[in-house]
Amino acid sequence: RIARHPSFLADTLEGEWSDIWPLPNQFNPYLVPLPLRMGHTQKFCVSPDKYTSVELLKVQNFLHLTPPAIKKHCAALKKFCTPFPKELETQQDCEREFPVETHTVDYVAAGKTPRNPAARVVTKTIRLSNLVLDHHARLKLTQLAGKERYNRSNDILTIKVDRCPVKKQNKDFADYLLTALYFESWKTEPWESKEHTSHSDGYYWWEDSASYQNVKNLSLSWDSPTVEKYRESVRELKLEPEPEKLGILTEERKEAVSNYKDSVIKLLNL
């Protein structure tokens, strides 16, 4: 015998599903022509069917987003779309016109509230080569941002914000941080005009260091070659070309440590 559908499902099976279920709505067992079951299974029993299952009313459904309905919506929106610009053929062209990239994540889950705390996180990335920066401004910006935000291998600055409770507030705060970093990097403070600064990624001033004070306490002559050698060995340690590898004892670092050791011995006349 061929099982016949109930009479109230006859119109549902014959008509367009997008016309019957056009918008997000709570589950209705008298409109959905599917034998769905959901709920706790009792001993020697099957799960409740859709007519007696309260669990189907609790969860969110996407019955309005079927593939035919999505195609129908896209066809309706296509007349409002414009063709993609021919000038933006490559990724480099897109990055040149839109240097700042914003990354956010939206979460959909069944719960008491649709808001997910992780959805407020905003991440903005920009390549420093797309900013107008001279040598001083670029060095200062990387120092202010820190190693955890600036990737030297691909020259990308990443700002991740999750302090504010709402995503829009985090977006505004990330824009403020990026703007503040840019304009602060162009400022030149009086203490930045001193000599003996690192030209790669660090800075060091002999007159403000503890080594300078130690030599001053020893009451030694500043013109002596011993003090000059000690000063150069200290600067060599402080202004290393690759500070991210300080934990690795390379050949260059071994030589710098050895020179510092010899200069200290001669300075203290040991």
Side-chain angles (χ1 to χ4, degrees), residues 42-149:
Q42 300 292 338
K43 189 175 182 181
F44 303 112
C45 297
V46 296
S47 301
D49 59 2
K50 63 180 181 179
Y51 299 102
T52 58
S53 178
V54 186
E55 298 298 328
L56 287 172
L57 303 177
K58 300 179 182 179
V59 299
Q60 299 177 1
N61 62 78
F62 295 91
L63 297 174
H64 63 289
L65 295 179
T66 57
I70 295 176
K71 291 182 179 180
K72 188 176 180 180
H73 292 170
C74 294
L77 295 174
K78 189 174 182 180
K79 59 182 179 180
F80 300 104
C81 300
T82 57
F84 194 79
K86 297 181 180 179
E87 293 79 6
L88 304 178
E89 296 180 353
T90 62
Q91 184 67 23
Q92 290 76 10
D93 297 336
C94 296
E95 185 178 351
R96 183 181 65 253
E97 298 295 333
F98 308 98
V100 182
E101 181 178 347
T102 304
H103 181 263
T104 59
V105 180
D106 294 327
Y107 297 89
V108 179
K112 296 181 180 180
T113 172
R115 178 172 295 179
N116 193 308
R120 72 178 190 273
V121 181
V122 177
T123 304
K124 285 184 177 292
T125 59
I126 184 173
R127 201 179 302 273
L128 292 188
S129 59
N130 295 323
L131 296 176
V132 182
L133 298 171
D134 59 358
H135 176 74
H136 166 265
R138 184 184 181 89
L139 175 61
K140 190 172 182 180
L141 192 147
T142 55
Q143 290 290 336
L144 291 175
K147 299 179 182 178
E148 65 277 3
R149 297 182 182 89

Side-chain angles (χ1 to χ4, degrees), residues 32-45:
V32 180
L34 299 174
L36 301 179
R37 290 183 178 273
M38 185 176 180
H40 181 68
T41 304
Q42 300 292 338
K43 189 175 182 181
F44 303 112
C45 297

Side-chain angles (χ1 to χ4, degrees), residues 196-227:
H196 313 304
T197 58
S198 172
H199 295 284
S200 57
D201 47 14
Y203 53 88
Y204 176 73
W205 299 293
W206 164 257
E207 292 79 4
D208 297 338
S209 64
S211 301
Y212 176 85
Q213 295 297 329
N214 294 334
V215 175
K216 189 176 181 181
N217 295 334
L218 293 175
S219 301
L220 298 176
S221 175
W222 297 103
D223 298 333
S224 63
T226 306
V227 176

Side-chain angles (χ1 to χ4, degrees), residues 186-201:
W186 275 100
K187 294 181 180 179
T188 303
E189 303 294 339
W191 51 266
E192 296 183 71
S193 60
K194 296 183 179 181
E195 298 179 355
H196 313 304
T197 58
S198 172
H199 295 284
S200 57
D201 47 14

